[in-house]
Amino acid sequence: MYGGRGTKTIIGTILAGSALFAASACASDTQSGTFTAQRDDSRAVADKIAGLVSPTGMPPGDPTGYPTGDPSPGDPSPGDPSPGEASPGAGAADLQKVGKAATEAVEGGTLISMESEDDGRVWEVHVVGSDGVEQQLDVDAESGDVVSGPTAEDDDAGDKARLMALVKGVELTYEDAAEKVAGAVPEGKITELSLDRHQGKVIWEADVTGSDGTKREVRVDAKDGTVTKNGSTS
């Protein structure tokens, strides 16, 4: 679009016309003192014309060779996440930071579940106190600070008994469970980790996003730490 023989020919013709104009002005006005002004005008015109085309054949104003205002290769596309923007899920170390904050906020508490919320910025954590009362907390993913709670769940006596029995069946802590999950899905991000029962056994169940974006479900025996399932979610 820019450059080429056609463009150079046009510019040469205009420059030649500017030179003839200057010579004519010189012959007719050498005594009036207007020659200098007209010569300067002709040079200004020539400079403006020459400035329309860069040596690369592209409009001046952008050293990359792209018209000013157009995105250069490698520029983030609209909608791309900004640097530093939080992403859903976390590794084992980050989960341990979040879990520590939650369990310290509930005296004698045992963490039974944690789930990534708000695009990974906050974790919703549930902790069972020594009295069997389930407490909910929100923990900031970056700072590890409790930003909401603890708030007691409205559980009845049956719920409390069930939770206490579930907690007593745990030998593998949430920290160890997170390590097992991270080992099962290297470079994956855990989005949820919760204590549950499966086929009569107490297990830790995790939802994980692999490095390729695949959603996976991992189950870990809460007694001996054996990974009993590691597969894609249906």
Side-chain angles (χ1 to χ4, degrees):
M1 182 180 294
Y2 300 97
R5 293 185 177 180
T7 303
K8 292 180 178 179
T9 301
I10 293 172
I11 293 173
T13 302
I14 296 174
L15 289 173
S18 297
L20 289 174
F21 174 77
S24 175
C26 178
S28 60
D29 297 303
T30 54
Q31 299 301 322
S32 63
T34 58
F35 163 70
T36 301
Q38 291 180 340
R39 180 184 60 187
D40 292 343
D41 289 343
S42 65
R43 285 181 178 175
V45 172
D47 289 344
K48 289 181 179 179
I49 295 171
L52 292 175
V53 179
S54 69
T56 60
M58 299 297 290
D62 189 340
T64 63
Y66 286 83
T68 303
D70 288 354
S72 301
D75 285 349
S77 301
D80 285 351
S82 301
E85 183 176 325
S87 57
D94 293 323
L95 258 68
Q96 291 170 5
K97 176 178 67 176
V98 170
K100 181 180 179 180
T103 52
E104 286 180 348
V106 180
E107 186 176 357
T110 300
L111 188 149
I112 60 171
S113 74
M114 53 201 313
E115 182 177 2
S116 177
E117 300 283 352
D118 193 20
D119 290 331
R121 294 178 177 83
V122 175
W123 285 84
E124 181 182 307
V125 186
H126 290 254
V127 177
V128 175
S130 57
D131 56 358
V133 176
E134 182 179 359
Q135 304 279 351
Q136 178 183 324
L137 309 91
D138 289 336
V139 180
D140 185 273
E142 184 174 355
S143 66
D145 295 333
V146 175
V147 295
S148 176
T151 303
E153 297 288 330
D154 188 18
D155 295 335
D156 58 23
D159 293 329
K160 293 178 183 179
R162 179 183 60 81
L163 288 172
M164 290 299 292
L166 184 65
V167 169
K168 286 180 180 179
V170 177
E171 295 184 14
L172 192 73
T173 65
Y174 75 90
E175 296 102 324
D176 293 334
E179 291 285 358
K180 291 287 186 179
V181 174
V185 188
E187 299 183 6
K189 288 192 173 185
I190 302 172
T191 58
E192 184 175 359
L193 179 66
S194 59
L195 197 62
D196 203 350
R197 288 186 181 274
H198 181 71
Q199 295 180 349
K201 293 183 177 182
V202 180
I203 62 165
W204 285 103
E205 189 170 65
D207 289 339
V208 188
T209 301
S211 57
D212 59 355
T214 303
K215 306 294 184 180
R216 305 188 68 82
E217 182 179 303
V218 180
R219 291 178 188 153
V220 181
D221 191 297
K223 282 189 174 292
D224 60 19
T226 301
V227 176
T228 59
K229 179 180 180 180
N230 180 9
S232 300
T233 57
S234 55

